[in-house]
Amino acid sequence: MNEHTLKVLEFDKVREMLSRLCLSDMGKELASSIFPTKDKEIAEKELKETTELKEILLYEEPFPLSSMKDIRLSLKRAEAEGIALEPAELLDIAEILSISRALIKFFKNKKEKYSLVSTLVSELRSYDEIFSAIHSAVDSTGEIKDSASGRLSDIRHQEKTLRNRILDKLESMLGARKTKGARQDDIITMRDGRYVIPVEESEFFQSRGIIHDRSRSCATYFVAPLGVVGMNNQLRELALEEEAEILRILREITSLIRYEVADLDVTVRVLQEIDFIHAKAQLSFKYDGSSPLLNEQGYVNLIEARHPLLSLSKEKTPKEVIPLSLALGKEYSTLIITGPNAGGKTVALKTTGLLTLMALSGLHVPAKPFSEISVFKKVYADIGDEQSIEMSLSTFSSHMLHIKEAVDNADSETLILFDELGGGTDPKEGVALSEAIIGQLIKNESKVIITTH
């Protein structure tokens, strides 16, 4: 399947729809890179995974999957000795572990019922030590808890006591000053990690203290009076001790993660895959999809199929989308669709092609159960206005380039979709050219659908 075929059949729009249903950027990566396989076993396995997840969503208790951050960069950083992951990173990792633990519990008694998804989940671990360490140390806002260590608790208790002493001292000084006349800016603030009070320039030389800042107008100094300088210094020392203890705690938790990085990488990969499969199941719900039967005999049998983009269009209700039933590959290998303009010929062509690509990508298709699709090794489509200004090609020339590529490479395992074959040139020449192309494709035993113009 070349990129041109994927584009004209609007497979990129299916990728976009699938991506929007993923709960993580990691899942979106898989959705945006989804590609049809040529292997029947792989396609059937992926279809069955989608079916299992859809059944889980239909018949089981709420599925424990939620939005999750991409922690792969954090895990990569954790591999280096001495690194301390940030609290926010640890919370993201804890969320991943929480989902992993919930999925393990969810599938505990469902292994036989949903074998494929359960096999994926069996690669997950609960990581109790890491999970407990993170939640014991980091609160939901990303702050380190007082209880993260005995030393941190002691430091913060000392800080609190000392801070209250400093504030009481400064409040007392401001109170004494108010007897000489109220000042609008008589408030205690912090500069350089130290508590200060505002002092007018004219007053400073009558007082004793250390200047830490001054106002924009330069009329006011922010001063730590000598009576609190020592306590301010002690408070700053405690703050540095607190920072050091927090760094030690974060390094300790990061070390636990470092020892498990290889397995955590597996956990991330599994959750990425489950998010992707979950999105496929959700997409199936949106257009009432079902899993098609796959064959390798070049046989297509669509039963009441609908184009997924039409099914999900806001401009049309489901009842307004006319279903298509189509068979190809048994009694005849070539199907020519004719009819008036706006009669649905191109939609029929695109529906067949797009549903084939979707099925080979492990996606349910908007068609009735027991619809069949062949595992075509090649799919070629030539649809719409193919004029290329950049390549100085006319519409007809562009069409012929794609048609030639298809005819040259077509064989019995190829699906060919040509819209308005022979258009863009003299009608008589177009007819002759079309007959020659169709004749060659029949000779190549390809499966062909062509619309007339």
Side-chain angles (χ1 to χ4, degrees), residues 294-341:
L294 299 183
N295 67 77
E296 293 179 309
Q297 288 74 49
Y299 178 52
V300 176
N301 181 33
L302 299 179
I303 306 170
E304 295 188 24
R306 292 159 284 110
H307 194 289
L309 300 182
L310 284 179
S311 296
L312 298 177
S313 172
K314 295 180 180 179
E315 298 177 0
K316 290 182 177 289
T317 66
K319 292 182 179 179
E320 291 177 313
V321 180
I322 300 172
L324 161 75
S325 293
L326 179 150
L328 178 72
K330 281 191 175 180
E331 296 180 7
Y332 45 85
S333 62
T334 300
L335 178 63
I336 299 177
I337 305 175
T338 187
N341 290 337

Side-chain angles (χ1 to χ4, degrees), residues 337-348 419-420 451-453:
I337 305 175
T338 187
N341 290 337
K345 302 189 297 295
T346 301
V347 172
D419 189 30
E420 297 191 357
T451 67
T452 63
H453 59 92

